[in-house]
Amino acid sequence: MGMLVYLTRRLISLFLSLVVASMVIFLVVEVAPGDPASYMLGINAQPDTIAALRTELGLDQPKLQRYFSWVTGMMTGDFGTSYTYRAPVAQMIADRMWISLPLALMALTLSALIAFPAGLLAASKRGKAGDVSVMAATQLGVAIPNFWFAMLLVLLFAIKLRWVSAGGFAGWDNPMAAIKSLTLPAIALALPQAAILTRVLRSALIDTLSEDFMRTARAKGLTRGQTLWRHGLRNALIPVLTILGLQFSFLLAGAIIIEQVFYLPGLGRLIFQSITQRDLIVVESVVMLLVFAVIVVNFLTDLAYALVDPRLRSRA
């Protein structure tokens, strides 16, 4: 019963968040300066030509009507038609999602594979050389901007060593070439996130060391490392799950600069191009989709909390 109430409350919160987000996104994009029709036709276009194009694009309709048309269309999978490319926005998003989503998953996987061993090592060697080394490395990882690190990777592995191309995407017709195209961008995205996750995991594990069950485990003969791995990690997962959820959302929605550096035709690059071209319907739809992904990931993170810590269900 507690789990059902917990789930219902989270679903209501998810729905309300989506409604508020859709209104904010629409209003922010609509009040941005510039007219898409004027941009598309150029500075020498005649007023009647601009008016005709505005009618064709539906820009002459009341904003409230356009908002409801946009929302109801998204609910049925119709994201509208791009002003610039005259192509269905849903298809444009689907084509680019096959780049941004694997990139985000690769980066998140790399982040976790680096952070979990590093965090466990630092916590088990607290105050010793291993801990100091890991913390120094994470401090460097947090301080370096990922786009600057991306350029260093390009200089080293693409220009100097010529192991990979400097940019572009090979396409999924050749899976190995596609993965190779995403490797450097994934590393550039993953390392700063791994540094953050390592520090959070180390702090959470150290906090569990003072718990009674950890002292009991040590009294039974387990080493510090074994105690952390077998008993501490599960109890330290809640803050780690929070960071993982936020990181996936960031990696999916916040890779605009990295996609620009590596010339990847993903969602981030699509947003950038659509903003410069005043393609409002594309900007609104892509941003709404990314917000939806963020909210859903946070919802799933809340459910993971309830599975890891049953006390959360009993409080619902």
Side-chain angles (χ1 to χ4, degrees):
M1 186 63 181
M3 187 62 181
L4 181 60
V5 175
Y6 183 86
L7 181 61
T8 302
R9 289 182 176 179
R10 292 301 179 271
L11 286 173
I12 293 173
S13 176
L14 184 149
F15 174 76
L16 293 177
S17 298
L18 288 175
V19 172
V20 173
S22 67
M23 296 190 322
V24 171
I25 291 169
F26 185 83
L27 290 174
V28 168
V29 174
E30 288 296 324
V31 300
D35 178 55
S38 300
Y39 182 90
M40 293 169 64
L41 294 174
I43 59 175
N44 296 320
Q46 298 298 317
D48 56 341
T49 307
I50 295 175
L53 182 57
R54 286 181 58 83
T55 301
E56 180 184 349
L57 298 177
L59 296 173
D60 60 335
Q61 298 176 357
K63 284 184 171 55
L64 188 61
Q65 181 179 343
R66 288 168 54 197
Y67 168 75
F68 281 109
S69 297
W70 172 58
V71 171
T72 54
M74 284 193 299
M75 293 174 65
T76 60
D78 180 11
F79 289 81
T81 302
S82 168
Y83 300 156
T84 304
Y85 300 101
R86 301 301 179 92
V89 177
Q91 186 60 49
M92 295 172 65
I93 292 174
D95 292 340
R96 287 157 177 80
M97 183 67 78
W98 284 104
I99 298 171
S100 294
L101 184 59
L103 175 60
L105 291 174
M106 284 179 63
L108 186 67
T109 302
L110 285 172
S111 176
L113 289 176
I114 295 170
F116 273 79
L120 284 165
L121 174 64
S124 63
K125 304 292 184 181
R126 182 185 181 186
K128 299 180 181 179
D131 182 26
V132 174
S133 300
V134 170
M135 287 298 97
T138 58
Q139 186 63 46
L140 186 63
V142 171
I144 296 178
N146 57 11
F147 67 87
W148 188 77
F149 186 65
M151 290 187 285
L152 291 181
L153 292 176
V154 170
L155 286 173
L156 177 60
F157 293 103
I159 297 176
K160 183 71 174 179
L161 299 176
R162 298 184 182 276
W163 289 355
V164 294
S165 63
F169 183 67
W172 289 107
D173 295 335
N174 186 340
M176 291 304 298
I179 293 174
K180 192 175 180 180
S181 301
L182 296 178
T183 299
L184 285 188
I187 293 173
L189 285 169
L191 288 183
Q193 301 304 313
I196 296 171
L197 186 59
T198 299
R199 298 177 74 89
V200 171
L201 179 59
R202 173 187 177 274
S203 298
L205 287 171
I206 288 176
D207 287 342
T208 64
L209 287 174
S210 59
E211 299 290 339
D212 291 338
F213 68 90
M214 296 291 284
R215 287 194 289 267
T216 301
R218 291 295 305 277
K220 291 181 178 180
L222 294 180
T223 65
R224 188 187 186 94
Q226 290 173 331
T227 306
L228 285 172
W229 178 256
R230 297 182 187 180
H231 302 285
L233 186 59
R234 177 184 175 88
N235 291 274
L237 277 182
I238 287 184
V240 173
L241 287 173
T242 302
I243 298 300
L244 282 174
L246 292 174
Q247 284 187 344
F248 178 75
S249 303
F250 168 79
L251 293 170
L252 184 61
I256 297 176
I257 298 177
I258 294 298
E259 290 184 0
Q260 288 292 114
V261 171
F262 289 97
Y263 297 100
L264 293 175
L267 289 177
R269 190 168 174 82
L270 177 62
I271 292 177
F272 180 82
Q273 293 172 335
S274 300
I275 291 173
T276 59
Q277 295 166 348
R278 290 292 299 160
D279 203 339
L280 300 183
I281 188 67
V282 176
V283 176
E284 291 170 350
S285 299
V286 176
V287 173
M288 187 64 212
L289 180 66
L290 294 176
V291 169
F292 174 77
V294 170
I295 293 174
V296 169
V297 168
N298 289 337
F299 171 73
L300 295 176
T301 303
D302 286 342
L303 293 185
Y305 289 169
L307 294 175
V308 171
D309 190 350
R311 292 173 297 178
L312 295 176
R313 299 197 297 266
S314 64
R315 296 172 188 168

